[in-house]
Amino acid sequence: MYAQTIKVNFRCLLGAFFQISYAAVMREMSDEKLMQRYAKGDAKAFDQLYARHRAPLYRYFVRQVNDPATANDLYQGAWEKIIKARKKYRPASPFKVWMYRVAHNHLIDHYRRTRPVDLVEPDTLSDKQSDVSEAVIEGEQKELLRAGIRALPMEQRNTLLLQLETGLKMEEIAKVTGVGRETVKSRLRYAVNYLKRSLVE
Amino acid sequence: MNTIHNNGDNDKSLNDGMEKLGRAYDQLPNEEPPELLDQAILSSAHRAVEKKPHWMKFGWLHGLTTAAVVVLALSIIINQREQVPGFDDAIRVEAPTGPVRENAGKKRTGVDQVKDLSMELKEEDPGRQLIAPNAPVATAADNEALEVSAGDQPPEYESRVRRSMTAQDSAPAKTDRVDADKVISDMPLEEPMMDEAVLPGDAAEYQITSKQPQPATIGAVQPEDAVLPVQTDAEIEEQLLSIIKLKQSGDKAWISKLEKFRQTYPDYPLPEALSD
């Protein structure tokens, strides 16, 4: 009786030990390795990968679109695409770049479905500045920033969010958005200047 | 939370602006996906890499095959159910049950009838003899041989044999044959069967015994070409009766007639009156 209990407990302990050590190994793995493992059928690798990127990717969508429900749909849709395209992933490019490229394309598809892509430059944003003004009246800097980001044209907002949320380099953002590095830099400069101006005002 | 990369440019204003913006951005509330959404995505990811059994990859094919097998099996069962009642009906019509069925497979020949009659008489009076003592008695084996030989022959031969047998069976009608039971009941039991007291003028009575040697006659009919001239037992018996009458009248011609008869029918058993 006791021997059996000890045997069962030992098995539980052994199992727990292996799980913990496996999770520790997973934590130390790079995104690329995890994605490769997931592509080969290791679901635990995806769990780890998901835990790492869930919040930034969600915020990327939430701050792109004003509607939380739409953001949820976009977020889930982006992950579905990542899951489906798991075998197409090549570790030559960083996982984060690949993942945000999938998310960016999903977002662009959404914009194309709902409305034409807004490519208006900040100089012509007289009407959108009213949103920022309202936020200023409220006196809350956070809301002001949120409203300022929302007021940015889609391409600038996208580039800025990729920079602020994911910490990608300009070259990587260029790869994600499919434009040149100088274009990314230009968009960032426009966006920063606009927000600085808005916040000061 | 976020790291603003120094993009390696000499654009100091951009880098400063990004750093300040980054600090402000970090103060924004950190929205996170709802737990249900997490679960949905994770379960979807797990389902995607679950190893399915090989047959499940062709689920539609498996279903189609199963349906086809079921339809085939049902059609076979239904077909059989439709056929079986008809078959049973046919059996019922062709094979009667009870006593009729018992006698159905047994053809009652004239030989059998005489044999039965003889047996009955023996039971009543062992001293009485309906069949001529020297007559060869057809055994069961002979009857079987007859059946088999007739059965093995081609249909034409079989039909011919049957025809001759039918002719023999129907012969008493020509000779005003009376019912066997009636004849037997009218017979004086004390007197011997083949005595002239019984025979004269009553050919039908004698016919009962004279039918006994039929197997020999039928057995003689073997090859198709060697069919005997159709001469019924009644005619033969008439010849024998005429010889007996000649003998009784004292005419010596009966001897020559008997010899002629013997030449024609060497195997035909003679009645007691002539067997001397």
Side-chain angles (χ1 to χ4, degrees), chain B residues 10-28:
Chain B
N10 294 325
D11 198 342
K12 200 181 172 188
S13 63
L14 178 61
N15 289 338
D16 289 346
M18 283 302 294
E19 275 180 22
K20 284 179 187 172
L21 198 60
R23 279 198 295 273
Y25 189 81
D26 285 347
Q27 288 173 359
L28 289 176

Side-chain angles (χ1 to χ4, degrees), chain B residues 73-190:
Chain B
L74 281 175
S75 63
I76 288 168
I77 290 165
I78 290 165
N79 254 344
Q80 281 183 342
R81 279 191 179 178
E82 282 172 359
Q83 284 172 3
V84 165
F87 183 67
D88 282 348
D89 290 344
I91 288 172
R92 235 173 273 134
V93 169
E94 284 173 15
T97 54
V100 181
R101 177 182 257 180
E102 282 172 18
N103 295 328
K106 209 173 176 183
K107 186 167 176 67
R108 302 289 291 173
T109 60
V111 177
D112 293 331
Q113 287 171 2
V114 172
K115 216 178 190 179
D116 292 347
L117 195 57
S118 165
M119 292 295 287
E120 283 173 19
L121 288 171
K122 266 188 180 175
E123 281 172 11
E124 285 176 13
D125 184 7
R128 188 174 176 182
Q129 203 171 17
L130 191 62
I131 301 169
N134 295 335
V137 178
T139 60
D142 291 339
N143 281 338
E144 278 176 21
L146 177 66
E147 295 275 339
V148 170
S149 67
D152 290 343
Q153 296 301 326
E156 286 176 21
Y157 177 73
E158 194 182 349
S159 64
R160 194 173 289 184
V161 169
R162 286 193 189 285
R163 222 182 300 134
S164 77
M165 288 171 72
T166 316
Q168 286 167 4
D169 287 345
S170 60
K174 289 180 188 173
T175 56
D176 298 324
R177 182 182 176 178
V178 292
D179 188 27
D181 291 337
K182 191 186 168 197
V183 172
I184 291 161
S185 63
D186 292 338
M187 275 184 195
L189 295 176
E190 295 79 20

Side-chain angles (χ1 to χ4, degrees), chain A residues 50 63 164-165 167 185 189, chain B residues 2 5 9 11 25 29 38:
Chain A
Y50 183 76
R63 287 165 190 177
L164 292 171
E165 200 60 59
K185 193 177 169 183
R189 188 180 288 117
Chain B
N2 301 306
H5 286 276
D9 271 353
D11 198 342
Y25 189 81
D38 286 344

